[in-house]
Structure formats: C-alpha cells, structure tokens
Amino acid sequence: MSPVEVLRLPAKVNLSGFVTLLQRLNVPHRVSEERGEQVLWVPNERVAEDVRALYTRFPEGDPNFQLGADKPVARPNFLQQLRDSPLTTAVLLATLLVAAVTLLGSNFEAIRWLSFQDFRIDGEYAYFVPLAESLAAGQWWRLATPMLIHFGVLHLAMNAMWYWELGRRIEARQGWLMLLGLTLVFSVASNFVQYRWTGPSLFGGLSGVLYGLLGHCWIFQWLAPNPAYRLPKGVAVMMLIWLLVCLSGVIDALGFGAIANGAHVGGLLIGCVTGLLGGALARWRR
C-alpha cells in the first residue's frame, strides 16, 4: 500500500511538537523534505483523515497533555468545518442570501441585477440589454454573479452540496485565495460559453463552476496524486454521464427545465486546463 501525504508545509514551519504528539499516540508516520518543503506521510487514508483532524486542533503539538494516548482523535464537527473552510462557507452563504432575495428565481426585479445580461419583462417576453452596454456602464460583476442565481430548491441544494464537497478540498490543498480565483475564473468562462451557446437568455447556478472544480481536481490528481483530490469512486464518471444525458436533450424533453449545457462544458474544459497547469507544477516541485 502506498503511503499517503497528509501535510505539505514550508521548511520554516516547526513540526517537532506535532511529530512528538504523533509519537506519543503511536501513530505511524514519516517526514521527508522535498524542494524546501517538509511532507508528512502516513500508511493509509484512514490514518490520514485522523491526522489531519489532529493537526487542525494541535498544530503545535500537545505540550499540556490535553489529549491522552488512550483517547481517540475526534474529527471536527460541522461548525469547525465551517471555520476551517471560510471561502467555501462564504460562497455558500452568499448563494443562500441571493436565493432568499430572488425568491429562488421568482423575483425578476432582483435577478436582473445579477444576471449575465440586464433585461426587462414585458408581458410574457423578456427583452435583454446588450452585454456591451452593461459593461460600458461599469456593471462588470455580471460576468460572474449568475453563479449565485438558482431556480428552485433542488437546483440550489444539489449545487450547494457539490460546492461544499469540492470547494473544501481545494481550499484545504491550495488555500482560500486559489479557490476564490478558480471560482471566479470558472464562473466567467462558463457564463461566456453559455452566452455563446444560446445567445441572450436567462441562466444561472453554480453548476458551471462545479464542473470546473471537478475538472481541476480530476486532472490535478492524475498528475500529482494527493489525498485532498482523491474523489470517491465513481464521482467523476457519474458527473460526466450526467453531462452527456443533459447534452442529449432528454432532460428538456421530459419537461424538467432548460439545462445550461454550455456552462457545464465550458466549466469542465477550463477546469481541466487549470488542473493540468496546477498538477504539472506540483509534480515538478516533487
């Protein structure tokens, strides 16, 4: 069985206290130095999850013996997970706030300030303002904010669940700033592809970003395997199958609503590109 990487920290970080704690708890481990970084390894993923939780609580070790050798390592509760993933939490809170203000897609007056193109409703028709006019007026936020708009509880719940799953992984492995950058890049790219795919239309949701995060983790893990990006078996295959089903038009034909296929495809492609760049860089550093 291959050892699992738990932590990768700059050489200046003092790990001696935490290593002493692992020794006291009889946790099998080793520390290696790679290109100016120190890497902590353990035998398998089960031990890795416990050690990550332990490091969250005791990064400097346990000099006051708060944790006895006979006490199991407690995994962080939900509130602790929220604190450990501030950017993921912030994006989801913003999404929930927008869902409340827009009444899950029913309040068009609120939606029009966040949509890719401004629009007005006249009877049963929507008339869209050219994107260039909105950008010329300084409304650059429109390039990214459609990711916050959701149409219905199921749409919101599914996207929020997957962003929580994928966003936390990237935030833990590459930091909140990287997750913020990837989220904005994937949002803008997927929105532009959707706009080119269908022309002026009303669309929204985190799904384009989610396919970007999936592509990023997938290719990054393929090039530079690490525990954070090791997705449960079948997740990538399931989401790719769902993408193909949506592209086939079956979902529209069954009357479940329009699917932003352009956003899905655009997000996945740009995510694979960032995963390729990030994974190649991480592989070179090793």
Side-chain angles (χ1 to χ4, degrees), residues 87 91 95 143-148 150 159 162-164 166-167 170 179-191 204-217 239 260 262-272 274:
L87 196 281
V91 171
T95 302
L143 300 180
T145 50
M147 71 176 184
L148 301 175
H150 287 85
N159 283 351
W162 281 110
Y163 191 84
W164 174 251
L166 297 172
I170 294 175
L179 176 60
L180 175 61
L182 291 176
T183 298
L184 294 176
V185 167
F186 297 157
S187 180
V188 172
S190 61
N191 290 336
L206 274 167
S207 52
V209 174
L210 296 178
Y211 271 98
L213 299 180
L214 174 68
H216 181 82
C217 292
M239 292 189 73
H264 295 174
V265 173
L268 180 61
L269 291 177
I270 191 65
C272 289
T274 61

Side-chain angles (χ1 to χ4, degrees), residues 5 8 169-170 172-175 178 182 186 212-231 268 270-286:
E5 176 186 316
R8 179 177 290 268
R169 292 172 181 270
I170 294 175
R173 176 63 175 81
Q174 295 182 270
M178 177 61 73
L182 291 176
F186 297 157
L213 299 180
L214 174 68
H216 181 82
C217 292
W218 182 25
I219 302 301
F220 195 113
Q221 169 71 7
W222 178 59
L223 290 172
N226 65 90
Y229 292 173
R230 186 179 296 115
L231 299 173
L268 180 61
I270 191 65
C272 289
V273 171
T274 61
L276 178 65
L277 296 174
L281 180 60
R283 187 184 184 93
W284 175 79
R285 284 178 174 173
R286 292 183 183 181

Side-chain angles (χ1 to χ4, degrees), residues 117-196:
Q117 291 176 269
D118 192 7
F119 63 90
R120 63 181 177 86
I121 301 293
D122 188 359
E124 296 182 357
Y125 297 93
Y127 297 90
F128 291 89
V129 176
L131 179 62
E133 291 186 17
S134 297
L135 297 182
Q139 299 176 6
W140 291 90
W141 66 82
R142 293 186 180 278
L143 300 180
T145 50
M147 71 176 184
L148 301 175
I149 304 171
H150 287 85
F151 303 96
V153 174
L154 183 60
H155 188 207
L156 173 65
M158 292 298 294
N159 283 351
M161 179 188 72
W162 281 110
Y163 191 84
W164 174 251
E165 177 65 29
L166 297 172
R168 286 189 305 146
R169 292 172 181 270
I170 294 175
E171 190 166 4
R173 176 63 175 81
Q174 295 182 270
W176 70 268
L177 194 59
M178 177 61 73
L179 176 60
L180 175 61
L182 291 176
T183 298
L184 294 176
V185 167
F186 297 157
S187 180
V188 172
S190 61
N191 290 336
F192 261 113
V193 174
Q194 180 63 31
Y195 172 67
R196 299 293 296 178

Side-chain angles (χ1 to χ4, degrees), residues 18 20 23 27 34 72 96 126 143 146 186 197 201 231 241 262:
F18 186 67
T20 299
Q23 293 171 344
V27 177
E34 302 178 9
L96 293 174
L143 300 180
F186 297 157
W197 191 289
S201 61
L231 299 173
I241 291 176

Side-chain angles (χ1 to χ4, degrees), residues 97-111:
L97 177 61
V98 169
V101 172
T102 62
L103 303 179
L104 285 172
S106 301
N107 184 352
F108 290 110
E109 276 301 313
I111 289 175

